Amino acid sequence: MNKPFPLQPLLQALALACLATSVQAQTTDTATPPATPPVADQGDTQTKQLGVVTVHGNSPTSLPTTIPTTIEGIDAATLARTVNATDAEDALKYFPSLLVRKRYIGDYNHAVLSTRASGTGNSARSLVFADGIQLSNLLGNGATFAPRWGLVTPEEIARVDVLYGPFSAGYSGNAVGAVVDYQTRMPQAFEAHGRVATAVQPNRLHGQEETYRATQGSLSVGSRDGALAWWLHGSRSQSHGQPLVFASKLSSTGTAPGAGLPVVTGAVLEKNRSNQDWYLIGSATEYDTTQDHLKAKLAWDFSPTLRLSYVLADWKNRSEGSSRSYLRDAQGKTVDNRYGGDISQGVIIDGRRYTLAASDFSRSRDVLEHRMQALTLKSHTMGFFDYSLAWSQYDYLSDQTRSYAPSSKAQPEAGRLTDQQGTGWKTWSARGVWRPGGAHVLEAGLSREEGRLSTRVDNTADWRSGDAASFASLFAGKTRSDALYLQDSWELGRDWQAVLGLRAEHWQALDGRTEAAYTGTSDKGACNPATQRCVLGHAERSLQALSPKAALSHQLSENWMLKASTGRAVRFPTVSELYQGGFDSKTGGVINNNPDLRPEKGWTTELSAEWGEACSQLRITWFREDTRDALYSLLNVATNASTVQNVDYVRTNGLELSFSTAGGWTERLLKGLGLSGSLTYADSRILASSGYVSVPGDVVGKWQPRVPRWRATLLASWQLSPELSLSYGARYSGRQYSTLDNSDPNGFAYQGASKYFTTDLRVQWRINRQWSLAGGIDNLNNYRYWNFHPYPQRTFHAELKFDL
C-alpha cells in the first residue's frame, strides 16, 4: 500500500465532521467523502493518496483500484434527500456535464447518457456498470441503445460514482466520455423495505391537454447468516407518458384541392426545426408501459477478505405506443388512417390538399424479457496481492416489436413484426493488483467482451397478434474484443505521484449477414429473384489497437492539488453499426449499414486544480478531446439514405467547474444549508469531414450535434431538522443542434434540440424509524423543451417508504 500523505488523517476527520450537513458526497481526490449510509456495507471508506483515488474497505470493490481521473459521486442518503428518483438514471441528474435523455418514467429505449464531449446520439461513448456488471448496451450507438437502467432500482443503490475521461487502462475505449458505477447494497442483518410512489404530469402541447400518470411499487428483503448474505428485490412500474412523435405535413407540399375530399380542421401550424412552416396533424408513440423487475443477489465470504457473488436479474417490459389525430371533419369525427370516409386521395387543410399515410398515425406493441447473470470472485486483503475474476451475460430471452404498417386497403391491419431473440452480450475478466511495497502499485488484467446481434423482420396481416406471414429482412453478426492492460501507480516523492498505463486490444467482427426481401426487377449483386431474397455475407475483420494512459498529480499545498491526465481511446464499431442495414434491390448494394467502418480514435487531456477544506471542495478542469474517424450517421448521396460513416476530425475544448460546501459560511447563512453545483463550457466542432449532408463541406466548422456550449447545475439542500429536509435544484443547458450541418436552428420544435432551464423541488420527512414520506415537483417552472422528442412538463411526485 502506498505511503499515505500526511494530510490524509486530517481530511478524513474533517469529512466525517460534516457528514450531518453534507449536500452531495462528491468523491474528489482532494478529500475523503462522508461515510456510506447505514444501509450500505459498513466500513467502506475511500482514501486519498496524492491525487489517485484508492477504493478499499471491509467489502470487495470493483478493480482497478487506482483511478487517475476526475471522479464525482453521490450516496444513497443524499440521493433520497435531494432527487425525485423514479429510475436509476435519475441519480445522475446533478452531476457535472452529464445529461440522461429520459423522456418519461421507465424510458427503456432512448435514455442515452451524454457527457462532456458526446451528445445523446452517442450511447457507445460511455460505460455504465452495476457492481461491476456491464449495463451499457454496446450493440449499437444511438438513441435506441440506452443502458439497461431498469436492472437497478433507486432504492437498492448504496452510492454512484462517475469517472470522467478515458484515463484508466482498465476500461475500453467506450469510456472516452465517462464511466458510471452503481454500487448496490448487501445486508449485514435482516432487513426489509417497501416503497410505493406515484407521479402526475399535467401536459399541454399543440392545443392538446392531457394528464399522464405513473405508479411504482417495490419490495426488498435480505439478511446475512454467517458467511452467506442474500438480497431479493421485486418491483413493478406502470407509466403512461406524453406523446413523443408528431405527424406533420410541410405547408409547401400542399397542392390544389380536389373535389370530394374531406375538409378538416384541427391541424396546428408551426415552424419545424429548420424554421419551415408545417402542419402538425397528430401525435404518436404515446407509451403505456408496464415493467417488472426481479433480482436475486447472493454473496459468500470464504474469509473476511475473499467473497464470491452471484447476481440474477430478470426484466420484463410490455408497452403499447398509441397515436391520436388532431384532424376533425365537418361532423366533428376524427380523421386518420382509420377514417371511415375516402381519404386515399388526401384531405383539405386551409384550402390545400395533403395526403395521409399509414405512417402518419403509427401504433406499436413491445413485449420484452431480458435476463442478466453475473458471477464474481474478489479478494480485498489490501496486502501484497488482490484479484478479481468476473463473468456476466445479458440475454434477450424474448424481444418483439409489433408496428402498424398497412400497405393497402385490402389489409387494413397489416404490420411488421421485429424479433431480436438471441441478441445479447457476454463479458469475462481477470484482474490483479500487486503492492510490492515502496513506491509502486501495479495492476494488470485480461478481458473479453462479445456482442451478438440477431434481428429478423417479418410482415404480418395482423399487427397486434398475427403470426409472421412473409419475410422482410434480417440482420445478424458478432463482435469480439480481447484486451490486456497494465497500469502502475508510482509515488515519485512526498508530493508527487504518476500513473502510467497501457491497454492492448484485439477486435474482431464476424458472422455478419444482411438479408432482405427482393423487390427489384433484375438479378443484381446479392439479390436472387428465384428465392426472392437478397443475401449478403460480410467478410470477417480484425483490428488491433494500443491505448497509452498517463497521469501526474502534485500536492501543491495543504489545500491545493494539481493534476494532469492524458489518454488515448479507441472505440471500435458496434455490431449494429456494421450490420444493421438494408438493400437497394436494384443494384444489390448495402445502403444503410457499413461493414467497413473504421474505429474512432482519440486523445483526451485534462488539467485540474482542486481545493479542499473541511466540508468544502472546489475543482476547475480544462479538458480537450481530439477524435479522428468519429462514427456518425451521414447522408449517402448516391442512395439518398442515411448511413453510419466516419467523420474525419472532431475537436472539443472546454472548462468545467464543480463545487460543494456544507457548514462554514453556508451554516452561518442558514443552519443546515448545503450547496453544490457545476458549470461547463464546451467548444465542440467538426473540423474535417469527407462526408456531407447536402453539399461537400457543409458539416465542416459546425457544432457537434447535441453538445451544448454551456450547461450548469445548482443544488441547495436544507436540513430543517433531523426528520425534515428540503432541496431545490436548477439545471441549465444552452443551445444545441441535432444535425451535422446545423440546419436545425429552431430547437423548440419536434426533432429539434433546445436549450432549457428547469427547477426541481423535493421534501423528505422521516416520520419515525420505519416510515418516511417524500414528495416533490420536477420541472417546477414548467419549461417546455425538446431533444428530438419533448421532455416531460411539470411533474408532481409522492412516495411512501417502509424500512425494517
Side-chain angles (χ1 to χ4, degrees):
M1 182 174 179
N2 290 358
K3 182 174 64 178
F5 185 72
L7 183 61
Q8 175 187 322
L10 174 61
L11 291 175
Q12 287 178 326
L14 292 173
L16 291 173
C18 66
L19 174 60
T21 57
S22 174
V23 175
Q24 184 173 4
Q26 295 185 334
T27 314
T28 63
D29 43 19
T30 58
T32 303
T36 52
V39 294
D41 283 351
Q42 299 300 305
D44 288 355
T45 61
Q46 299 206 359
T47 302
K48 169 190 152 304
Q49 294 191 357
L50 295 176
V52 180
V53 174
T54 301
V55 185
H56 63 91
N58 292 341
S59 63
T61 57
S62 299
L63 300 177
T65 57
T66 52
I67 307 168
T69 184
T70 299
I71 181 171
E72 303 268 351
I74 186 172
D75 63 22
T78 307
L79 177 63
R81 191 171 64 247
T82 60
V83 180
N84 299 312
T86 59
D87 300 295
E89 62 266 37
D90 290 330
L92 306 178
K93 185 178 290 187
Y94 293 102
F95 276 71
S97 306
L98 298 188
L99 168 69
V100 178
R101 182 177 175 246
K102 177 183 171 182
R103 305 169 300 168
Y104 61 95
I105 295 173
D107 190 353
Y108 62 97
N109 60 358
H110 277 72
V112 173
L113 175 64
S114 169
T115 57
R116 288 171 174 170
S118 301
T120 52
N122 286 317
S123 61
R125 288 172 59 84
S126 59
L127 290 173
V128 180
F129 297 93
D131 299 318
I133 305 167
Q134 179 182 307
L135 300 183
S136 292
N137 185 351
L138 300 180
L139 299 174
N141 179 48
T144 59
F145 296 95
R148 295 312 185 191
W149 308 105
L151 289 168
V152 177
T153 56
E155 53 265 38
E156 68 174 321
I157 296 172
R159 66 174 296 108
V160 187
D161 292 308
V162 177
L163 287 70
Y164 290 76
F167 305 123
S168 173
Y171 296 104
S172 69
N174 302 96
V176 61
V179 179
V180 178
D181 184 22
Y182 288 88
Q183 292 291 325
T184 67
R185 61 176 179 260
M186 289 297 288
Q188 298 300 310
F190 179 80
E191 58 182 74
H193 309 273
R195 175 181 177 267
V196 291
T198 186
V200 179
Q201 179 202 164
N203 186 283
R204 181 173 182 175
L205 190 64
H206 302 146
Q208 310 297 309
E209 293 188 39
E210 191 65 53
T211 298
Y212 302 99
R213 293 177 170 84
T215 58
Q216 295 178 311
S218 66
L219 180 64
S220 305
V221 62
S223 187
R224 172 177 287 276
D225 184 11
L228 177 66
W230 57 272
W231 177 270
L232 299 176
H233 173 87
S235 64
R236 165 166 284 197
S237 175
Q238 294 178 297
S239 74
H240 193 143
Q242 76 278 4
L244 302 173
V245 173
F246 299 88
S248 62
K249 301 294 176 183
L250 279 174
S251 176
S252 60
T253 62
T255 59
L261 299 181
V263 177
V264 299
T265 59
V268 180
L269 181 62
E270 290 192 354
K271 298 286 188 181
N272 68 6
R273 67 181 184 180
S274 300
N275 275 328
Q276 300 169 306
D277 288 332
W278 69 353
Y279 287 102
L280 297 173
I281 63 173
S283 63
T285 317
E286 185 178 313
Y287 282 129
D288 191 348
T289 303
T290 300
Q291 295 177 353
D292 294 309
H293 175 216
L294 296 173
K295 179 184 282 189
K297 298 187 293 185
L298 300 174
W300 181 269
D301 291 332
F302 293 101
S303 72
T305 60
L306 183 63
R307 174 179 288 184
L308 178 67
S309 302
Y310 174 71
V311 177
L312 174 64
D314 190 84
W315 176 78
K316 294 181 180 179
N317 182 94
R318 296 174 300 282
S319 65
E320 181 163 348
S322 60
S323 63
R324 62 180 70 187
S325 172
Y326 300 160
L327 304 180
R328 302 293 185 269
D329 64 11
Q331 288 74 42
K333 186 177 179 179
T334 300
V335 177
D336 59 12
N337 50 354
R338 292 162 286 183
Y339 181 66
D342 183 10
I343 59 170
S344 59
Q345 300 301 313
V347 296
I348 305 300
I349 302 175
D350 290 342
R352 295 176 66 83
R353 173 182 172 270
Y354 298 88
T355 59
L356 299 183
S359 58
D360 288 332
F361 305 102
S362 61
R363 289 174 281 167
S364 64
R365 286 185 175 179
D366 288 357
V367 179
L368 289 65
E369 182 177 3
H370 295 182
R371 180 168 296 163
M372 178 184 73
Q373 299 183 76
L375 186 67
T376 59
L377 179 66
K378 296 182 180 180
S379 71
H380 56 108
T381 65
M382 297 307 298
F384 176 74
F385 178 68
D386 277 319
Y387 63 90
S388 169
L389 304 174
W391 162 86
S392 71
Q393 181 167 322
Y394 190 98
D395 293 307
Y396 288 37
L397 299 182
S398 63
D399 192 300
Q400 287 192 344
T401 296
R402 294 176 173 272
S403 56
Y404 177 61
S407 56
S408 67
K409 285 188 175 182
Q411 290 187 314
E413 298 300 320
R416 291 287 181 93
L417 173 61
T418 302
D419 194 334
Q420 293 197 85
Q421 184 178 15
T423 297
W425 61 83
K426 296 179 182 178
T427 67
W428 297 265
S429 67
R431 296 173 173 177
V433 179
W434 289 264
R435 305 176 185 88
H440 294 271
V441 174
L442 304 174
E443 301 177 28
L446 288 167
S447 64
R448 165 170 285 191
E449 300 175 5
E450 291 185 358
R452 60 190 183 280
L453 172 70
S454 178
T455 304
R456 180 185 173 112
V457 182
D458 289 283
N459 300 306
T460 178
D462 182 359
W463 74 274
R464 292 180 178 86
S465 58
D467 295 330
S470 61
F471 175 80
S473 60
L474 182 145
F475 320 105
K478 297 178 183 178
T479 56
R480 178 185 300 152
S481 182
D482 296 304
L484 166 67
Y485 83 88
L486 301 170
Q487 191 159 279
D488 180 14
S489 176
W490 182 12
E491 187 176 320
L492 300 175
R494 173 183 172 85
D495 299 332
W496 293 86
Q497 188 157 1
V499 178
L500 301 174
L502 181 66
R503 184 178 183 87
E505 295 172 290
H506 176 73
W507 174 86
Q508 292 176 284
L510 57 161
D511 297 339
R513 190 169 83 258
T514 307
E515 299 184 18
Y518 179 67
T519 59
T521 58
S522 60
D523 183 3
K524 295 280 187 175
C527 299
N528 187 342
T531 62
Q532 293 296 294
R533 290 278 186 104
C534 299
V535 180
L536 183 63
H538 304 291
E540 182 175 326
R541 295 177 60 195
S542 63
L543 297 168
Q544 293 78 38
L546 291 175
S547 300
K549 322 280 185 177
L552 182 67
S553 62
H554 174 52
Q555 190 75 43
L556 188 64
S557 68
E558 187 174 84
N559 301 112
W560 282 96
M561 177 177 289
L562 303 179
K563 293 199 309 179
S565 302
T566 190
R568 185 177 192 248
V570 178
R571 203 278 276 180
F572 293 101
T574 64
V575 62
S576 177
E577 289 171 314
L578 295 169
Y579 303 133
Q580 182 111 19
F583 275 100
D584 180 350
S585 60
K586 299 289 186 181
T587 65
V590 178
I591 62 170
N592 294 108
N593 60 318
N594 188 347
D596 300 317
L597 289 169
R598 301 183 299 276
E600 290 186 355
K601 301 172 288 292
W603 278 92
T604 301
T605 301
E606 70 170 36
L607 302 174
S608 293
E610 300 181 354
W611 172 85
E613 180 181 76
C615 304
S616 299
Q617 293 86 38
L618 173 68
R619 174 177 57 83
I620 302 174
T621 299
W622 169 83
F623 59 90
R624 174 165 175 157
E625 182 179 302
D626 293 273
T627 303
R628 305 284 180 174
D629 294 326
L631 290 166
Y632 260 108
S633 179
L634 276 170
L635 185 69
N636 185 319
V637 178
T639 61
N640 197 32
S642 293
T643 66
V644 179
Q645 299 181 37
N646 291 105
V647 175
D648 298 342
Y649 181 25
V650 179
R651 184 182 67 197
T652 304
N653 281 298
L655 284 171
E656 183 179 82
L657 168 71
S658 174
F659 74 92
S660 67
T661 180
W665 68 270
T666 58
E667 185 74 11
R668 292 190 296 272
L669 180 65
L670 184 64
K671 185 176 181 180
L673 176 67
L675 295 173
S676 65
S678 65
L679 178 67
T680 304
Y681 170 81
D683 182 345
S684 185
R685 296 183 183 269
I686 301 169
L687 298 186
S689 178
S690 54
Y692 52 92
V693 175
S694 299
V695 296
D698 61 0
V699 304
V700 176
K702 299 301 193 297
W703 288 92
Q704 184 184 177
R706 300 186 187 174
V707 179
R709 181 178 298 182
W710 291 99
R711 60 181 110 186
T713 66
L714 181 64
L715 182 62
S717 179
W718 182 21
Q719 194 72 43
L720 288 81
S721 69
E723 297 81 20
L724 185 63
S725 65
L726 174 68
S727 70
Y728 182 79
R731 293 173 294 140
Y732 171 81
S733 177
R735 181 180 180 179
Q736 53 190 301
Y737 297 93
S738 286
T739 58
L740 282 161
D741 63 350
N742 296 175
S743 59
D744 53 332
N746 180 21
F748 293 95
Y750 171 51
Q751 300 179 354
S754 71
K755 66 178 182 179
Y756 63 81
F757 173 74
T758 65
T759 60
D760 307 316
L761 179 69
R762 182 170 175 83
V763 179
Q764 185 189 44
W765 176 33
R766 181 159 291 280
I767 302 170
N768 55 37
R769 186 174 180 180
Q770 283 78 38
W771 294 93
S772 63
L773 184 66
I777 306 174
D778 281 344
N779 196 1
L780 176 64
N781 54 319
N782 204 28
Y783 199 92
R784 298 181 184 180
Y785 59 114
W786 299 76
N787 194 329
F788 195 95
H789 307 287
Y791 279 105
Q793 296 180 16
R794 183 185 294 121
T795 304
F796 300 86
H797 296 268
E799 68 176 15
L800 178 66
K801 296 178 67 175
F802 175 80
D803 300 291
L804 181 63

